Amino acid sequence: MFRERLKKLRLEAGLTQKEIAEQFGIKQPTYAQWESGRTKPKGETLEKFASFFNVSTDYLLGNSEIRNPEENINLDDFELLYRNTSKGLSDGEKKQLEIDLKKFLIERQKLINERKNKNQ
């Protein structure tokens, strides 16, 4: 799944293998091996690809269908939860609540997607 996603993202970006290799300071044959599935990059390189393409490493590896979980948070749900629970909190406590709610919503979405994938 990784190799397919990597190639798809590269093509969507309108880049050649050579251009991607140059962007990451690697040789084109090394990149080609990753895209062909002969080898896989190390974790640090996966993180760089995820950041470059604005996707999660879970998406890159085929563990999720969500490209970037933070972009898929339902803001209506988030705002409602935040408003109902932030009254009377300090600015620091409100910031921590925001972080915690985002994490919760991301994990919730992952569980929903896992269930969906199991049922297919």
Side-chain angles (χ1 to χ4, degrees):
M1 181 60 81
F2 168 74
R3 65 187 187 99
E4 292 93 352
R5 296 249 165 112
L6 186 62
K7 183 175 182 177
K8 179 181 177 184
L9 290 167
R10 175 180 62 79
L11 293 174
E12 285 176 1
L15 299 169
T16 65
Q17 287 185 352
K18 183 179 179 184
E19 290 169 329
I20 287 283
E22 288 172 358
Q23 177 73 32
F24 286 90
I26 57 174
K27 296 181 180 183
Q28 187 273 332
T30 301
Y31 178 84
Q33 287 184 351
W34 296 336
E35 205 171 273
S36 70
R38 279 183 242 140
T39 61
K40 285 189 180 179
K42 294 180 180 177
E44 183 180 315
T45 305
L46 280 174
E47 292 286 342
K48 288 179 183 178
F49 278 129
S51 178
F52 181 80
F53 290 117
N54 193 31
V55 298
S56 68
T57 53
D58 279 340
Y59 177 80
L60 259 178
L61 295 170
N63 297 330
S64 172
E65 296 303 312
I66 300 172
R67 284 180 174 234
N68 188 336
E70 292 181 13
E71 291 178 359
N72 288 333
I73 292 174
N74 183 332
L75 294 180
D76 292 335
D77 291 345
F78 179 78
E79 281 186 60
L80 181 63
L81 283 169
Y82 183 78
R83 283 187 197 150
N84 288 336
T85 55
S86 66
K87 294 174 184 164
L89 297 179
S90 70
D91 288 345
E93 290 170 327
K94 286 179 181 178
K95 185 64 180 168
Q96 186 59 52
L97 176 61
E98 181 182 338
I99 291 167
D100 293 341
L101 288 172
K102 283 181 180 179
K103 285 180 184 177
F104 170 77
L105 291 172
I106 289 168
E107 287 303 315
R108 182 176 178 269
Q109 187 63 50
K110 284 181 184 178
L111 289 172
I112 290 169
N113 290 339
E114 287 174 6
R115 286 185 197 137
K116 221 187 281 185
N117 289 337
K118 285 181 185 177
N119 292 331
Q120 290 178 346

